[in-house]
Amino acid sequence: MNDVLGDWKRSHYCGQVTAVEVGREVCLMGWVQRRRDHGGLIFIDLRDREGVIQLALDPDRDPEAHGKADRVRNEFVVAIKGKVSPRPEGTVNPKMKTGEVEVEVSDLRILNTAKTPPFMLDEYTEVAENIRLKHRYLDLRRPAVQNNLMLRYQVTRTVRRYLDGQGFLDIETPVLTKSTPEGARDYLVPSRVNPGTFYALPQSPQLFKQLLMVSGFDRYFQIVRCFRDEDLRADRQPEFTQIDCEMSFVDRDDVIRVMEGMIATIFKEAIGVDVSLPMARMTYQEALARYGVDNPDLRFGLELVEISDLVASSGFKVFADAVGNGGMVKAINVKGGATLSRKELDELTEFVKIYGAKGLAWVKMTEEGWQSPIAKFFTADELAALNGRLDAQLGDLLLFVADSFRVTNEALGRLRGHLGQRLSLAKKDDYQFVWVTDFPLLEWDEEARRHVAVHHPFTAPMDEDVPLLTTDPGKARAKAYDLVLNGSEIGGGSIRIHDQAVQSQMFELMGIGEEEARVKFGFLLDALEFGAPPHGGIAFGLDRLTMILTGSESIRDVIAFPKTQKATCLMSEAPGVVDEKQLRELHIKLAVKPK
């Protein structure tokens, strides 16, 4: 490399050359984004991570450099020396940071050639994602993707500085650990030196950070890689990054207060947005009642309204039967939505079926009153009562779901979010935070015929609900809290169980017997008997948070080398096949031949 560069030393990044540098000699290095030949005078747009600068090569000024520029093509790697000059009148580009200047090149070196890339690398070209991921090293040259990753770095830098100021210690926890599957599947790693045994890659550092509290470290954090072998969506990856925190001698309000300060600092320093503190709070029950889901988007209305009492005795059998069978009926009023076509309403009906609803009833408010196939089943008094509760006005669209408590809330809640996006009710630059609290501690799993933890089995019950663990565990509430931003959960945490007897009781309630608990969690149970302090914490999804900060549509746009929705890397072709020798060393025999 030294032979190629010789004594050339870069003086500036391309994007740092502004009018302040006019008259100075500079040495720049980067990639050729575009070359333009204007009948003798050649212009090159040179790009690096900080931006683009225009180079001007005049054959009269330096014939040798001009001759080299004639051979240059897109994505060649070049170094240049020259003088910064103002752009000629009428050629200033106000959209560029360097748009007032250009560099009059006096010397040019071609450091490396390049094949023609499979797609243009400017920010205006639309490219299929599979092509981008196959050539990710090229995609990462694009300004939009580079800006995403630089903002991500700014977030992590801010987090470290803020938490350091709050007395947190950055402590690493093991990546090769023990499999304790609860929820998502573990990624397993076979042990060569301990035949027949496996490590697991951590889904989170949960147990280790609790042990650090037992150890007296008091305040821990880590920006940590985690792994879950689960089905993927646009905002999920098999390996992801958490901002992971734990604190001793705290209650819920202490954790929330410190973390609100961190999030506010991130938004101020990363994108210049002031976040109002304290943030809003809402109980889990209120979130379900008003929005149908526990991650509500507060940027728009469309709140769910329960009408079970008004339709329980109505002539519309679908509504009456739902209430009579212990279910419920809810509705949302889409203001001005009566203009939706029948085809659009059918599409909404298919949408709620994804979440288990059997159908979607609709009413258009017209000058004649209700326009709907279900209008004939209601009396005038019932229609008046429904109109009053739903604030139904001329031009509105009323949408109803009647089903079980769970299905009604989720189907209509998801429909609310879908309509918010479809009708452009939510602005990207409007950031609405809400803490959702008082979650159920446990929920009943019909298939497994046992209770499962809503968050995880180390979450403490509310103090006043501890007796319910013996009498009615399904009604116990958790000291858990999620931070929701614009309909996405960006962080979740809880106060942990620090009493060994309560932890053992939780395992028992979840159908984990004493022997199984000892095998899976014996080291934690032992540690809780040696003076564990009250403690709690939280983990934020760095990828998802960065996705929102950058306004990206996919989490893959804020990760340097992401996986596809099938958990594969198109660039490196991972996961891959290993040879028989490696398998024999690991004492593994394949039951299924890889494709």
Side-chain angles (χ1 to χ4, degrees):
M1 188 66 176
N2 289 335
D3 292 336
V4 176
L5 293 176
D7 60 353
W8 284 41
K9 302 294 182 186
R10 180 167 62 181
S11 65
H12 297 72
Y13 282 106
C14 296
Q16 294 175 340
V17 181
T18 64
V20 176
E21 313 296 333
V22 168
R24 295 185 184 178
E25 294 289 329
V26 296
C27 177
L28 308 177
M29 301 178 187
W31 288 262
V32 173
Q33 179 157 300
R34 192 177 291 105
R35 172 189 169 278
R36 306 183 301 282
D37 191 334
H38 287 198
L41 193 64
I42 292 178
F43 292 98
I44 291 175
D45 291 339
L46 190 66
R47 181 193 71 242
D48 61 21
R49 75 178 202 192
E50 296 296 328
V52 178
I53 182 74
Q54 178 173 283
L55 312 178
L57 294 103
D58 189 331
D60 296 333
R61 184 170 56 246
D62 193 311
E64 185 179 354
H66 184 273
K68 292 178 183 176
D70 196 46
R71 302 197 304 271
V72 162
R73 295 295 179 266
N74 286 4
E75 300 310 311
F76 274 31
V77 186
V78 303
I80 66 96
K81 290 181 179 179
K83 185 175 73 173
V84 181
S85 302
R87 286 200 188 190
E89 188 176 347
T91 65
V92 170
N93 185 348
K95 295 181 180 179
M96 291 177 64
K97 190 165 56 172
T98 62
E100 295 182 351
V101 297
E102 63 185 17
V103 178
E104 296 177 353
V105 177
S106 57
D107 199 356
L108 182 148
R109 286 189 180 184
I110 298 175
L111 304 179
N112 210 345
T113 61
K115 290 169 60 176
T116 301
F119 52 88
M120 291 291 291
L121 304 185
D122 58 37
E123 56 189 307
Y124 307 108
T125 305
E126 291 291 331
V127 186
E129 188 181 51
N130 63 325
I131 302 296
R132 291 173 49 205
L133 294 181
K134 175 68 176 176
H135 303 276
R136 186 62 167 178
Y137 44 85
L138 295 178
D139 192 38
L140 287 172
R141 292 184 191 172
R142 302 173 79 190
V145 185
Q146 287 193 341
N147 290 339
N148 285 350
L149 291 183
M150 286 192 281
L151 186 140
R152 180 188 175 111
Y153 162 69
Q154 192 171 353
V155 170
T156 59
R157 183 180 61 183
T158 299
V159 166
R160 292 184 189 280
R161 187 168 58 245
Y162 174 85
L163 292 177
D164 180 69
Q166 295 288 324
F168 284 77
L169 302 175
D170 184 355
I171 303 175
E172 295 174 338
T173 53
V175 173
L176 295 178
T177 183
K178 186 178 182 180
S179 178
T180 54
E182 273 297 329
R185 299 180 185 90
D186 287 329
Y187 277 102
L188 299 178
V189 180
S191 171
R192 180 183 60 83
V193 296
N194 297 284
T197 63
F198 294 82
Y199 299 103
L201 301 182
Q203 296 187 29
S204 85
Q206 180 62 45
L207 297 182
F208 288 103
K209 67 180 181 177
Q210 288 191 243
L211 293 176
L212 286 170
M213 296 304 102
V214 178
S215 303
F217 282 97
D218 193 64
R219 290 192 171 195
Y220 140 97
F221 89 97
Q222 189 180 184
I223 298 176
V224 60
R225 207 71 165 161
C226 301
F227 308 85
R228 290 180 188 170
D229 187 6
E230 60 184 349
D231 296 332
L232 306 180
R233 300 197 302 260
D235 61 347
R236 293 229 177 131
Q237 283 279 291
E239 51 180 321
F240 56 96
T241 305
Q242 287 185 178
I243 304 168
D244 201 59
C245 304
E246 198 79 4
M247 307 165 65
S248 291
F249 307 109
V250 291
D251 59 21
R252 180 179 69 185
D253 289 347
D254 295 321
V255 177
I256 287 176
R257 176 181 50 79
V258 173
M259 293 303 125
E260 282 185 349
M262 184 184 79
I263 294 296
T265 304
I266 289 171
F267 271 74
K268 182 64 176 178
E269 295 191 5
I271 60 174
V273 169
D274 291 310
V275 175
S276 297
L277 299 180
M279 297 173 182
R281 296 195 196 184
M282 182 182 300
T283 67
Y284 171 82
Q285 291 297 340
E286 183 185 356
L288 291 192
R290 295 173 60 187
Y291 303 103
V293 292
D294 59 11
N295 56 339
D297 191 335
L298 304 188
R299 290 176 294 175
F300 56 93
L302 290 185
E303 291 193 23
L304 281 59
V305 179
E306 185 172 359
I307 58 167
S308 301
D309 58 316
L310 301 182
V311 299
S313 301
S314 72
F316 188 40
K317 191 171 171 42
V318 172
F319 285 5
D321 286 353
V323 178
N325 292 328
M328 66 192 313
V329 185
K330 280 189 167 182
I332 55 176
N333 182 350
V334 184
K335 290 293 181 181
T339 55
L340 266 64
S341 67
R342 183 57 186 265
K343 179 184 177 184
E344 290 172 312
L345 292 173
D346 288 343
E347 289 173 353
L348 298 183
T349 301
E350 292 305 309
F351 179 86
V352 297
K353 288 181 179 179
I354 297 171
Y355 301 98
K358 300 177 186 67
L360 180 72
W362 57 267
V363 172
K364 292 184 177 183
M365 298 301 296
T366 69
E367 292 183 353
E368 290 76 34
W370 278 32
Q371 178 192 330
S372 170
I374 70 171
K376 59 187 177 183
F377 296 106
F378 297 94
T379 67
D381 288 344
E382 288 169 339
L383 293 177
L386 288 167
N387 288 342
R389 183 168 296 180
L390 296 173
D391 187 30
Q393 308 289 333
L394 179 65
D396 292 348
L397 174 68
L398 311 180
L399 300 172
F400 304 83
V401 170
D403 214 299
S404 66
F405 178 86
R406 184 189 63 79
V407 170
T408 299
N409 277 321
E410 183 166 15
L412 207 52
R414 300 298 179 191
L415 178 62
R416 173 186 178 270
H418 175 70
L419 287 169
Q421 289 188 330
R422 181 168 176 168
L423 302 176
S424 301
L425 301 179
K427 296 179 181 178
K428 276 191 174 181
D429 59 354
D430 181 16
Y431 301 102
Q432 295 294 326
F433 295 87
V434 60
W435 288 99
V436 179
T437 65
D438 295 3
F439 285 85
L441 182 68
L442 300 160
E443 61 185 1
W444 183 255
D445 186 326
E446 283 291 345
E447 186 176 338
R449 304 300 300 168
R450 65 182 180 92
H451 284 103
V452 295
V454 171
H455 276 70
H456 56 60
F458 318 108
T459 299
M462 299 286 279
D463 294 341
E464 60 271 31
D465 290 356
V466 170
L468 291 173
L469 299 184
T470 304
T471 59
D472 195 351
K475 290 185 178 179
R477 295 165 300 156
K479 289 184 179 178
Y481 35 83
D482 285 356
L483 183 57
V484 176
L485 169 58
N486 295 354
S488 290
E489 178 207 327
I490 61 169
S494 66
I495 300 300
R496 322 302 187 187
I497 297 170
H498 68 280
D499 184 293
Q500 198 259 23
V502 177
Q503 185 64 76
S504 295
Q505 187 177 12
M506 269 291 286
F507 289 148
E508 186 179 341
L509 287 169
M510 296 172 59
I512 301 174
E514 185 176 349
E515 184 177 343
E516 183 183 359
R518 176 55 53 183
V519 170
K520 288 184 175 180
F521 307 107
F523 61 99
L524 174 67
L525 293 171
D526 288 343
L528 294 180
E529 291 188 301
F530 285 91
H535 60 282
I538 193 167
F540 293 94
L542 176 62
D543 310 305
R544 192 176 298 181
L545 179 59
T546 308
M547 176 178 155
I548 294 172
L549 287 166
T550 58
S552 301
E553 295 297 325
S554 168
I555 207 166
R556 292 183 288 277
D557 291 336
V558 299
I559 298 172
F561 298 101
K563 303 289 190 295
T564 67
Q565 288 188 333
K566 292 185 177 180
T568 62
C569 175
L570 296 180
M571 182 188 69
S572 66
E573 299 183 344
V577 177
V578 299
D579 61 38
E580 286 292 332
K581 181 175 181 291
Q582 286 178 284
L583 292 175
R584 283 196 302 272
E585 288 177 341
L586 295 170
H587 310 282
I588 289 177
K589 186 174 182 180
L590 298 181
V592 178
K593 291 288 185 183
K595 294 182 181 179

